[in-house]
Amino acid sequence: MLMKLAAGHIAPLTGLEEAEVLKLLEIPPQPELGDAAFPCFVLAKSLKKAPAAIAVEIAEGLKTAGLDAVAAGPYVNIHFNREKLSSELLEMLGHPSFGKLQIGKGARVVIDMSSPNIAKPFGIGHLRSTVIGAALYRLYNEAGYTPVRVNHLGDWGTQFGKQIAAYKRWGNDEALQAEPIRTSLELYVRFHDEAENDPTLETEAREWFRRLEQGDEEAKRLWAFFVEVSMKEFDRMYERLHVQFDHTLGESFYNDKMGAVVEELRTKGLLEESDGALVVRLEEEDMPPCLIIKKDGTTIYPTRDLATAVYRHDVMQADKLLYVVGGEQKLHFKQVFAVLSRMGHEWSADCEHIPFGLMRFEGRKMSTRRGKVVFLQEVLDEAVARALQIIEEKNPNLDNAQDVAEAVGVGAIVFGDLRNNRLNDVDFSLENAVSFEGETGPYVQYTYARINSVLGKAKDAAMGIDDGNTNRLNDTDSNDSVSHGTTVGDASWVLLKLLTDYPEYLEKAIQRNEPSVIAKHVIDVAQAFNRFYHAERIADAPAEVRPFRVTLTERTAERIKHSLYLLGVQAPERM
């Protein structure tokens, strides 16, 4: 907000648009230099003056407008009037509409997210699509869109032919009933191991999938069983992650919708034969052909994704389609969107692949085919156990320690993913994720709990209750840098400015489809609060400054809690 205020005053003095000035504004490296800095290099050519001379002129113009501005070489350093603006900013932060953007104008955004494969374990690798998609849903909702969450289950395709073939050769009902997911994984891994020396297995798998597509009763029975047991496993994971869906539709849902797509491609002259298969050629788009029907007459996932996109646009009435799927599928989605465009669907321009990097576990890439899977349930259990151990050491008298440990452990995993730029590969470290120090979820959660304790003590102080340690949660005395005559100290001013910047961070997160923008902002807020907490007394501050500081603390709690909510992380009030 303050940057926009500065840009509004600077723009008329430069001939630049306000948006241009806003992009140029910088935050000085030291707070004492100012709240904002405008570099004048960009104006030297148009004004035919040295940047330092331009800075002097702009500084004088800003002083006329009532801002404290100083030319510092080629920069204009700007100080805002803390005393004048602080109450206005606090009031703005407390308004129910603060941070609620309307850039979406109700547009309907269908978000394809999570999408685990049936008969496969819900591994740590599935985490990224799930939590990134869930965060984007909340962010879009916050910005005035109408988001829709769709879990596009991988419940069709040749992998089911492999699964059924493996079960028929080596499976037994007793083991499958006892541990369906682990047993299914073992069968799938064994299939790929054995297929390296026995090529007839691949032939068997293709035949079973062909029979499944043709409605064979035994193939359908086994497929339905795999779907049922897998969904029970997935639902347990979603409950722990606090993730919900508006629609859970597998690839199989679109089986009766693919024929219309294939016929449309044929009618429009887009289908061509290639070595017995049917493809759409995309040489003009500098891409390989998009396979639609395989040699054996069975469908493939591009066919299903074309039918899926048409359904989401026509039936779900999507204005925008987002696909939160790993970066390795980049070519696939480029092909699908290009085929939609060739079909004459102009809305294909509103389809967007939201890629993300690989999730590695201690440097190892995971592979379902080779059995290199880290089960998410086991990771969550271990994270909760570690969180409980730390909580019991720090606060052995906490009543609901197990519930708090669940919130902290699971939150640590979710936050540990989302704080990373989604395009980056993540080398997952459980020890780092669960740490209460550094840029972690537990650190932010602990800060929120600390704030609630401070507010509780402030309430007691207002009621005349003195427990001998009214202001602090620990034995560290604060060095209150603010004189009794000044309301806003350096630490509180930095925190206040950061809180008011939230709408800009939200807008940036939406523009980039990047939840890490919010994660990094809430880390900055937590760090700024802790500096404020140690520098300026709160609950037992002098009467003339106490209302401001307590209210600032309340606003900070609200912002941290809401930011954690947007990321899908709970905020325990005590830890």
Side-chain angles (χ1 to χ4, degrees), residues 89-102:
L89 294 177
L90 270 186
E91 184 177 353
M92 180 188 71
L93 288 171
H95 197 279
S97 65
F98 176 74
K100 302 288 185 182
L101 306 181
Q102 292 302 320

Side-chain angles (χ1 to χ4, degrees), residues 355-366:
F356 51 85
L358 291 172
M359 173 74 83
R360 301 177 186 273
F361 191 82
E362 296 178 349
R364 292 184 288 113
K365 180 180 176 180
M366 285 154 281

Side-chain angles (χ1 to χ4, degrees), residues 30-48:
Q30 288 86 37
E32 60 269 17
L33 294 177
D35 299 303
F38 179 72
C40 299
F41 306 101
V42 70
L43 301 172
K45 186 175 181 180
S46 60
L47 298 181
K48 296 181 173 57

